[in-house]
Amino acid sequence: RVNDRLVGLPTRFGYTQQLGSTADNPSMGQELYKYDLQTGIAEVHGLGNVNGGEPVFVPRGEGGAEDDGWIVLFGHDLSTDVSELRIIDAQNFSGLSVARVFTHHRVPYGSHGHLFTRCSSQFASTILSLITRTLPTYLMYLAHLPRSR
């Protein structure tokens, strides 16, 4: 995927998830990639034990840099069989996730990221505002802790 504002135009960055290594076993992988189409360099964001869904770019606002925003996706934790909404800073792609919102059930892989683009930056801003301002500060640290079964 690319920044949806630039579909059909020259772009520098593209985002995708890792796929299984064999054609007869197409599975989602546990890494995401940000490709710099000008330099040919790829950055990696590891998801741990989470299989990633389709990454979608959500712009921070109008008129920013092509990668000024967040990567948003649903992932499936293989050890707990539940899903999470993960938010990644696109300009710090290899760094830690900005937020992880856990569900109590599994979200199927067919729930593609198109639903995020309909809500665009207002959705991401609302989620990030909720996490950083409404919830106690210690919840921000949960994104960096391993999940127990």
Side-chain angles (χ1 to χ4, degrees), residues 2-9 11 57 59-68:
V2 297
N3 181 333
D4 283 348
R5 295 181 300 180
L6 301 173
V7 170
L9 300 172
T11 59
F57 178 83
R60 191 177 315 271
E62 295 298 321
E66 180 180 336
D67 64 345
D68 184 18

Side-chain angles (χ1 to χ4, degrees), residues 55-75:
V56 176
F57 178 83
V58 178
R60 191 177 315 271
E62 295 298 321
E66 180 180 336
D67 64 345
D68 184 18
W70 302 278
I71 301 301
V72 181
L73 68 130
F74 278 115

Side-chain angles (χ1 to χ4, degrees), residues 129-148:
S129 176
L130 172 70
I131 291 169
T132 58
R133 295 191 184 119
T134 307
L135 298 177
T137 304
Y138 71 87
L139 288 179
M140 288 301 295
Y141 295 107
L142 294 180
H144 310 299
L145 299 175
R147 286 191 65 203
S148 60

Side-chain angles (χ1 to χ4, degrees), residues 86-104:
R86 190 171 293 210
I87 302 174
I88 301 161
D89 183 340
Q91 292 182 328
N92 185 23
F93 191 79
S94 295
L96 295 172
S97 299
V98 173
R100 295 170 69 183
V101 181
F102 300 102
T103 67
H104 296 290

